[in-house]
Amino acid sequence: MTLTIGVDVGGTKVAGGVVDGTGRVLVQARRDTPAEDVGKTRDVIIELVTALSAAHPVEAVGIGAAGWIDASRSTVLFAPNLAWRDEPLREYVSTATGLPVIVENDANVAAWAEFRHGAARDADDSMVMFTIGTGVGGGIVLGGELLRGANGIAAELGHMLTVPDGHLCGCGRLGCIEQYASGSALVRFARAGARQEPQRATALLELAGGEAGAITGPMVTAAAQGGDPISAEAFAQIGRWLGTSLADMAQILDPQVLVVGGGVVEAGDLLLGPTRRSFTEALAQRSRLPVAEIRPAELGNTAGVIGAADLARRL
């Protein structure tokens, strides 16, 4: 069975693994990311690939990078958390390792992993995935292929307009879904609620030492799981916005499956319950027609490695 290497490059770590054709990770390795140094980041990737390929007969390498990748899947055009600017990453890694290389956006890689080997593995045509972390990312599969767009940078789902003239987003626009359905939004909603109604946020404020400004995402999750009303309402708010965006995707693309991934989804029904309710309400007029099921992602932190390796196998 063909073995390939998947590499997941983030702002703090570079994770790599040897993956077989069933999506099983045979061995993994990890290094810290020297994010401020282009050359050192490149060297860490090459070092990781060299070490993994020395022990296994791999045939290609896939790299998932947190940034915008060009249409040829070779150059990192821009990476917000790394020093890459027009970085010809495929050429460097391929030359150094002697292996074919493909470079892809990290959210696309995770989405592909869930389509092929995760929550949407029973789908054969289409899937839309939202990743809910500090921000909101996403990936779209149509006709069994990743939707990449003319310039390779499609499916920036976190930057769909949700609230006209709403909160300022890091991309420069006002009112993106990232500002209403992300982990950062969860914390903002919870802090606001705790300040306005501290008597309904007793458990949450206790975790934060009595300071609303010290509330973090894990605190909101823990308090909500314990029945804290303000924390539960914060999840309900991001779920409501997420559900409407998923409904938009259902209306526009009619995918087989909708997947929600990222760290926040670990809260389970605290997030997915209000998300599904909002989704159903937004699609009330389609009650007699088939509509995609919303599922939680299954592959967690290994999705980047598995998806990148699988894309490399398709070379």
Side-chain angles (χ1 to χ4, degrees), residues 136-225:
V136 174
I140 299 172
V141 177
L142 288 178
E145 299 289 340
L146 273 172
L147 178 65
R148 306 191 69 254
N151 300 299
I153 54 177
E156 287 291 333
L157 301 183
H159 300 292
M160 296 189 301
L161 179 65
T162 297
V163 180
D165 299 320
H167 290 289
L168 176 65
C169 184
C171 74
R173 299 181 74 196
L174 298 175
C176 292
I177 185 63
E178 183 166 292
Q179 298 305 307
Y180 294 88
S182 63
S184 299
L186 175 74
V187 171
R188 190 180 72 246
F189 289 140
R191 287 176 177 176
R195 291 188 180 104
Q196 293 165 9
E197 299 182 87
Q199 72 281 3
R200 299 182 66 238
T202 305
L204 179 58
L205 285 169
E206 184 176 344
L207 291 173
E211 294 293 331
I215 291 170
T216 64
M219 291 177 190
V220 180
T221 300
Q225 289 170 337

Side-chain angles (χ1 to χ4, degrees), residues 186 189-190 193-194 196-197 200 220 224 227-240 270 274:
L186 175 74
F189 289 140
Q196 293 165 9
E197 299 182 87
R200 299 182 66 238
V220 180
D228 182 83
I230 290 296
S231 299
E233 287 172 10
F235 272 105
Q237 288 188 75
I238 68 168
R240 178 168 67 89
L270 285 170

